[in-house]
Amino acid sequence: MRNPHVRIIGHPDNPAYPVDFDQLAQAANEHHVLLEINNSSYQPDGSRHGSRELSQGLLEACKRHGTMVIMGSDAHIDLDVGNHACSEEMIQQAGFPEELVINSDPAKFREWIGNKRNRTALAGQTSSLTCEGSSVAKTILKIHWPNGQNKDHC
């Protein structure tokens, strides 16, 4: 997280990659990195079984450390763009404070985007791509695979 280009960690509660939520939340807070609360992961018929349960531990750790989170729809179809229903359910179950959800208020999110450090980190990372058959603006993420091979992922 010390890398200045890391602004958001996606899928932090993915059961396939166990982490210490207290250490993660503390480091994210120290380095001003947002942790994603991923709506798609919490779908009852979703592919990340166990994420719903793990979300509570993640959110509790974020609450203890004052760590900001961001709701992401992770839409795999156009009808789910902006759908945060499951994320909101997890946030409510945890009694998580709204002031720590960066995109609970457009002004708060615009302020975060306007921060010079975040603008610099995001510069040049957004381009128009064709993903899953529709032309949309997506952020390119550089994936560093264990075998040393790097791939762009949208």
Side-chain angles (χ1 to χ4, degrees):
M1 281 190 240
R2 286 182 232 132
N3 183 322
H5 296 289
V6 174
R7 304 307 327 134
I8 299 172
I9 301 287
H11 304 281
D13 51 11
N14 184 338
Y17 305 100
V19 298
D20 180 314
F21 290 140
D22 271 310
Q23 287 183 349
L24 179 68
Q26 183 177 11
N29 189 32
E30 286 173 15
H31 297 286
H32 308 285
V33 171
L34 303 174
L35 298 178
E36 182 193 30
I37 303 303
N38 185 287
N39 195 74
S40 180
S41 294
Y42 309 135
Q43 297 285 347
D45 59 348
S47 63
R48 288 187 191 87
H49 302 289
S51 288
R52 288 178 70 86
E53 295 76 17
L54 289 175
S55 72
Q56 298 306 292
L58 173 66
L59 289 165
E60 288 298 325
C62 289
K63 199 178 349 178
R64 276 191 298 277
H65 295 284
T67 305
M68 301 288 291
V69 301
I70 185 166
M71 291 184 294
S73 60
D74 192 16
H76 291 227
I77 61 170
D78 59 349
L79 299 174
D80 278 339
V81 172
N83 178 2
H84 298 134
C86 292
S87 294
E88 290 171 349
E89 178 186 342
M90 298 299 99
I91 286 168
Q92 288 173 354
Q93 280 183 12
F96 195 76
E98 184 178 324
E99 61 268 13
L100 292 178
V101 181
I102 194 76
N103 55 342
S104 64
D105 174 34
K108 185 171 29 173
F109 187 63
R110 277 193 298 274
E111 181 182 330
W112 183 83
I113 291 287
N115 176 293
K116 183 179 179 186
R117 181 170 183 225
N118 295 325
R119 250 192 348 265
T120 301
L122 296 171
Q125 292 187 2
T126 302
S127 62
S128 183
L129 301 174
T130 301
C131 295
E132 298 185 23
S134 63
S135 180
V136 293
K138 292 263 189 174
T139 301
I140 304 258
L141 304 173
K142 186 65 83 175
I143 305 295
H144 299 283
W145 297 97
N147 64 6
Q149 181 183 15
N150 294 329
K151 295 183 178 181
D152 287 334
H153 177 73
C154 63

